[in-house]
């Protein structure tokens, strides 16, 4: 379990846990809002398949207390940089502070491994841009497909 002792606005403790025999169905069912499907997969199940087929990515379940509320994945690039991807908080659980706590928790943990921490987001994805920028991610100028690459700049 990855736990930075962070909470959402309802006071639920946000943790990141491996996807396992007990929680994989709940993780697979995590879904964004319909209007967010332009930016992310329609179901987190797509990211679970990706991580099963990939040597690079590892999926994690996002928990609020003991409830699965989202999916996120991390990976290591050839240059040693750490990447965050597949960040989806279930539509019914958004705007409660879970996404902020989840990204901070994963970034804190990846920071202990060394190397820059990067992610990418579509320029039109205003909530994601606001979240990542407020956490210290700054666009590098690079693009990954049609997404802006941003890197965490230590405070
Ligand atoms: C982006 C996402 C992960 C944020 O998760 P969340 O749990 O709703 O976010 P939080 O409640 O922790 O809010 C964190 C910040 O996000 C931003 N944010 C969230 N919803 C927003 C909205 N509707 N408009 C603008 N900014 C918004 C704000 O900066 C907010 O800051 P605050 O803590 O001061 O309120 C979530 O909206 C989501 O899953 N979206 C669909 C998938 C997606 O786009 N993932 C990112 C791919 S790069």
């Amino acid at each position: 379990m990855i736990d930075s002792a962070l909470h959402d606005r309802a006071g639920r403790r946000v943790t990141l846990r491996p996807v396992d025999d007990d929680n994989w169905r709940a993780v697979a069912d995590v879904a964004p809002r319909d209007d967010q499907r332009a930016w992310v997969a329609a179901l987190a199940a797509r990211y679970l398949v990706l991580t099963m087929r990939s040597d690079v990515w590892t999926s994690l379940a996002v928990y609020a207390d003991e409830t699965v509320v989202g999916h996120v994945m991390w990976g290591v690039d050839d240059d040693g940089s750490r990447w965050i991807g597949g960040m989806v908080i279930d539509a019914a659980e958004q705007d409660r502070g879970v996404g902020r706590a989840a990204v901070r928790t994963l970034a804190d943990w990846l920071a202990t491994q060394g190397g820059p921490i990067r992610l990418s987001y579509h320029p039109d994805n205003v909530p994601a841009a606001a979240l990542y920028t407020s956490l210290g991610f700054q666009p590098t100028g690079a693009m990954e497909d049609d997404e802006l690459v941003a890197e965490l700049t230590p405070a």
Side-chain angles (χ1 to χ4, degrees):
M1 182 188 304
I2 306 174
D3 185 353
S4 287
L6 296 172
H7 298 80
D8 70 4
R9 284 195 282 274
R12 298 180 300 176
R13 191 163 182 137
V14 175
T15 55
L16 307 178
R17 306 185 195 179
V19 177
D20 61 23
D21 288 347
D22 293 325
N23 67 17
W24 70 268
R25 293 172 184 80
V27 180
D29 287 347
V30 166
R33 296 196 318 247
D34 284 349
D35 64 301
Q36 296 167 331
R37 290 173 56 177
W39 304 315
V40 289
L43 271 182
R46 169 119 59 107
Y47 297 116
L48 293 184
V49 175
L50 172 66
T51 58
M52 287 173 66
R53 293 172 53 86
S54 158
D55 295 329
V56 173
W57 291 105
T58 301
S59 280
L60 295 168
V62 179
Y63 277 77
D65 284 343
E66 294 307 312
T67 303
V68 173
V69 295
H71 168 277
V72 68
M73 60 192 189
W74 65 276
V76 183
D77 207 346
D78 292 340
D79 63 3
S81 59
R82 268 58 184 167
W83 282 75
I84 295 172
M87 178 76 245
V88 184
I89 301 301
D90 192 72
E93 296 282 355
Q94 291 185 19
D95 301 325
R96 297 178 179 179
V98 177
R100 176 178 294 280
V103 176
R104 276 187 59 195
T105 298
L106 185 52
D108 286 353
W109 181 71
L110 292 172
T112 66
Q113 303 173 14
I117 301 170
R118 298 188 182 128
L119 48 73
S120 68
Y121 57 87
H122 194 280
D124 295 339
N125 191 346
V126 173
L131 169 61
Y132 299 142
T133 303
S134 71
L135 290 175
F137 284 89
Q138 295 183 344
T140 63
M143 299 289 289
E144 186 81 18
D145 297 326
D146 58 352
E147 298 194 338
L148 300 172
V149 174
E151 184 173 304
L152 185 61
T153 306

